[in-house]
Amino acid sequence: MPKAKPHPNQLPFDFVAPAPAKGVAELAGLERQINALVGTVLASDGRPREVIAAEMSVLLDDTVSKAMLDAYSSPARPDHKVPASRLLALLVVTDRQDLLDPIMRKIGAALLVGEEVKTARMGHLQQMIRQAQAEMRALGVDAPTIREGND
């Protein structure tokens, strides 16, 4: 299977370890940021909102309407909170999971999308190899030779 091309507006991954927001009011305004995220997702997809809403409805087995998407994306309607299930469904049907990363970093997490997990696993395996090699070097300093059979 050919490698999927990144979305033309895909955000780059930041390799700085995120720290969770723990200070006073550090997560204040998060709902407005999520509304803006929904607006960005919808603006980056060329399909009509009715089509996106229909795909979300199928995915969730629940009714999502164009009017709901309009409300979720409006900064003027901060009282219209986006349920997590609908935000995630929107990201899946628009293939814009990458846009969730900045929100995740606010809680000290980072997001890998799809096959990027393999790259992270490779890094983990490389770290394990380095640790095993370091242990072998330390053992080799005073490890005796194993007895050889006397014929």
Side-chain angles (χ1 to χ4, degrees):
M1 178 188 306
K3 185 175 179 182
K5 293 181 181 176
H7 191 283
N9 297 325
Q10 184 173 4
L11 295 178
F13 189 79
D14 181 356
F15 289 96
V16 175
K22 293 187 177 184
V24 174
E26 280 193 78
L27 291 178
L30 190 56
E31 293 300 334
R32 187 174 299 276
Q33 292 171 16
I34 291 172
N35 291 124
L37 169 64
V38 170
T40 300
V41 169
L42 292 170
S44 74
D45 194 292
R47 298 173 295 167
R49 289 184 180 188
E50 292 87 355
V51 171
I52 295 170
E55 288 186 27
M56 290 173 63
S57 296
V58 169
L59 187 61
L60 293 168
D61 193 27
D62 192 13
T63 302
V64 178
S65 68
K66 176 194 179 294
M68 289 176 183
L69 294 180
D70 291 342
Y72 294 155
S73 65
S74 173
R77 303 199 42 198
D79 57 315
H80 235 81
K81 296 181 184 202
V82 184
S85 59
R86 292 188 179 186
L87 175 62
L88 297 176
L90 174 64
L91 296 173
V92 168
V93 302
T94 58
D95 197 27
R96 290 311 310 266
Q97 298 92 330
D98 61 297
L99 291 176
L100 188 57
D101 189 60
I103 299 292
M104 296 303 296
R105 287 178 178 277
K106 292 179 180 298
I107 63 166
L111 182 72
L112 297 174
V113 179
E115 297 289 310
E116 293 172 349
V117 171
K118 290 180 180 178
T119 305
R121 178 64 176 152
M122 285 174 35
H124 182 240
L125 289 170
Q126 288 171 346
Q127 181 63 23
M128 290 171 59
I129 290 168
R130 282 192 292 276
Q131 289 173 342
Q133 289 172 335
E135 183 178 350
M136 286 175 53
R137 282 190 299 276
L139 286 171
V141 170
D142 60 359
T145 302
I146 296 177
R147 294 178 309 284
E148 294 184 18
N150 296 348
D151 291 350

